[in-house]
Amino acid sequence: MTFLDRSRTVAPPGWSRWLVPPAALAVHLSIGQAYAWSVFKPPLESSLHLSGTESALPFQLGIVMLGLSAAFGGTLVERNGPRWAMFVSLVCFSSGFLISALGAATGQYWLIVLGYGFVGGIGLGIGYISPVSTLMKWFPDRPGMATGIAIMGFGGGALIASPWSSQMLASFGGEGPDGGSGIALTFLVMGLAYAVFMSLGVLLVRVPPPDWKPAGWQPSSTTRALVTTADVSARNALRTPQFWCLWVVLCLNVTAGIGILEKAAPMIKDYFADTPTAVSASAAAGFVALLSLANMTGRILWASTSDLIGRKSMYRVYLGVGALMYLAIAHFGNDSKPLFIVCALVILSFYGGGFATVPAYLKDLFGTYQVGAIHGRLLTAWSTAGVLGPLIVNQVADSQEKAGHHGPSLYTTSMYIMIGLLLVGFVANEFVRPVNPRFHEPRPAEEGSPAHAAQQP
């Protein structure tokens, strides 16, 4: 299809770069639906007689495929351009819903796992990284803000998808033991609606012409110690200690955040169960919604702040202040409900901010040449953290409960583990230094230079 040709995505003269963030948001707000999967768990368990573990399988597989497809497809995304990547994401993500609709209608749960988890998960990974390098090429003066806007959409997608899904399930009769057809219709509508919405991003996205830069902007105006004007390939990036330091930083920051996010509702109820200010189920649900809002807001707020203070300093805040927030919860969490809530909101804002800041951190270190592919490989840290965080919190809570403990003591050990992990991440961030020039891509010789003259026949 000619509209996918990379040459056709180059912006014409006068094109506004501010049209690119909405294109990225069209994709990220759609694939951010993944965070709302829990809405489908009770109806699926009721209609298909599934356990809680079984109903979580499509989401778990989707996150695994997100990391794998981002890691292995990153180079293709860089080679073929953002329009191709967004189109592949659209096809996979929407097809995942349609396959799931067939599975729900026929009572074949394996089709839901295949559709939403495997096929849709590929759409998640390709869609997540599709706009990254393009946004940073359009916004070399504010790369943190640009990627923060887009990745904010992934964090906020559930705020749209959750009530929308619940309303459709109720309207189509998707709740109860005979709700298979209602679930199927909900999946069908979502698949078609997301295809239309994501197509706006496919049609709108453009890449800047070669050597384009904002009017009046010079690289020296925002250059800091870690910002490079050279480029590193994805293959060479994996050979640098900087990549692996950032892998550790991202993994541990996400582990700390997701540890609270995954168990937020029961955690706040347990913390105040034996106090005069016990938390009801509805209040716990409201707390979860607040955490989602903090996750979304942190992505644009802290990523934009990183443009002012630098990426390394921003991660010092995420990791250092994050450790202090966990320490406050461990010691004073059940003494003050406002303190507990504020600390949790700050931690979740750092969780979201870490996702949004890391593409700009990679750009600072490795340039824009293959930053999308490098970002894809780094996202394997997310997959690892998605297992580590919930495992730590749940295993510790289960063991403490078996030992006869209750309330805040179920989580105290977890809090100290998270503090330790964040401090390790803080140290890893301090080891990040400029990339050795031996990993840089060779630059074409400039016309008129001795090297250029030597290359002429």
Side-chain angles (χ1 to χ4, degrees):
M1 289 181 286
T2 56
F3 84 96
L4 292 179
D5 290 347
R6 187 167 188 139
S7 61
R8 297 178 67 87
T9 66
V10 177
W15 179 266
S16 173
R17 62 176 178 165
W18 291 101
L19 293 173
V20 181
L25 273 174
V27 173
H28 273 242
L29 280 171
S30 299
I31 63 176
Q33 183 278 336
Y35 278 150
W37 173 254
S38 60
V39 173
F40 289 100
K41 284 172 62 67
L44 285 170
E45 291 167 14
S46 177
S47 62
L48 299 180
H49 310 291
L50 304 172
S51 67
T53 301
E54 289 171 331
S55 67
L57 187 57
F59 173 77
Q60 291 173 317
L61 180 58
I63 295 300
V64 170
M65 293 309 301
L66 186 159
L68 293 177
S69 60
F72 291 104
T75 302
L76 287 176
V77 171
E78 287 292 321
R79 183 182 305 152
N80 296 317
R83 178 171 288 178
W84 174 90
M86 289 181 177
F87 181 74
V88 170
S89 176
L90 181 160
V91 170
C92 292
F93 190 65
S94 296
S95 296
F97 276 106
L98 301 184
I99 295 170
S100 298
L102 178 62
T106 59
Q108 299 295 316
Y109 186 58
W110 69 272
L111 281 175
I112 299 177
V113 176
L114 173 68
Y116 191 93
F118 184 80
V119 179
I122 295 174
L124 287 177
I126 299 298
Y128 191 87
I129 63 174
S130 61
V132 169
S133 64
T134 302
L135 281 165
M136 287 190 288
K137 289 171 184 174
W138 277 112
F139 292 89
D141 50 338
R142 285 176 280 185
M145 180 212 67
T147 55
I149 290 174
I151 294 176
M152 177 184 68
F154 191 84
L159 295 179
I160 299 171
S162 183
W164 181 38
S165 303
S166 297
Q167 183 59 49
M168 283 195 291
L169 287 167
S171 300
F172 297 148
E175 300 170 346
D178 300 319
S181 60
I183 297 172
L185 191 54
T186 301
F187 280 146
L188 177 62
V189 171
M190 295 187 82
L192 296 177
Y194 280 131
V196 172
F197 192 57
M198 293 174 75
S199 68
L200 298 177
V202 174
L203 296 173
L204 189 61
V205 71
R206 296 289 190 278
V207 296
D211 301 322
W212 178 90
K213 61 182 180 180
W217 176 79
Q218 296 296 330
S220 59
S221 64
T222 56
T223 295
R224 298 184 181 88
L226 287 177
V227 180
T228 182
T229 57
D231 288 309
V232 180
S233 68
R235 180 180 179 181
N236 276 341
L238 293 179
R239 298 165 56 197
T240 66
Q242 287 84 354
F243 176 89
W244 295 108
C245 283
L246 278 189
W247 193 98
V248 171
V249 166
L250 181 64
C251 181
L252 298 184
N253 187 62
V254 173
T255 298
I258 210 169
I260 278 189
L261 186 62
E262 190 271 341
K263 207 172 174 66
M267 183 182 291
I268 192 171
K269 291 172 69 176
D270 288 335
Y271 256 86
F272 298 98
D274 299 327
T275 70
T277 56
V279 177
S280 65
S282 60
F287 174 62
V288 174
L290 278 177
L291 292 182
S292 297
L293 187 61
N295 176 12
M296 181 182 72
T297 305
R299 294 173 186 242
I300 180 64
L301 173 64
W302 301 127
S304 298
T305 303
S306 77
D307 288 331
L308 302 175
I309 68 173
R311 254 56 77 171
K312 188 170 184 176
S313 295
M314 195 69 251
Y315 270 94
R316 286 171 176 150
V317 174
Y318 295 153
L319 300 160
V321 178
L324 293 177
M325 293 297 103
Y326 267 112
L327 187 63
I329 291 177
H331 281 274
F332 311 109
N334 66 324
D335 294 334
S336 169
K337 191 181 295 182
L339 175 66
F340 179 93
I341 293 173
V342 168
C343 289
L345 291 176
V346 171
I347 290 170
L348 261 294
S349 75
F350 290 166
Y351 167 82
F355 279 121
T357 306
V358 81
Y361 208 164
L362 292 172
K363 179 258 184 188
D364 289 350
L365 290 167
F366 303 112
T368 59
Y369 172 51
Q370 290 188 337
V371 69
I374 299 170
H375 184 215
R377 287 158 172 78
L378 193 75
L379 288 181
T380 55
W382 184 3
S383 299
T384 304
V387 175
L388 279 180
L391 182 65
I392 291 169
V393 175
N394 286 294
Q395 288 284 351
V396 170
D398 289 345
S399 64
Q400 292 291 82
E401 189 172 15
K402 289 178 182 178
H405 297 285
H406 63 280
S409 60
L410 295 176
Y411 305 100
T412 303
T413 302
S414 298
M415 298 296 114
Y416 283 108
I417 292 174
M418 296 303 178
I419 291 170
L421 293 178
L422 287 172
L423 293 179
V424 171
F426 189 95
V427 173
N429 184 53
E430 293 304 306
F431 279 110
V432 176
R433 297 287 188 272
V435 175
N436 191 304
R438 68 189 178 91
F439 295 108
H440 293 171
E441 289 295 296
R443 290 187 177 276
E446 295 182 5
E447 186 174 353
S449 69
H452 178 268
Q455 292 173 4
Q456 303 307 306

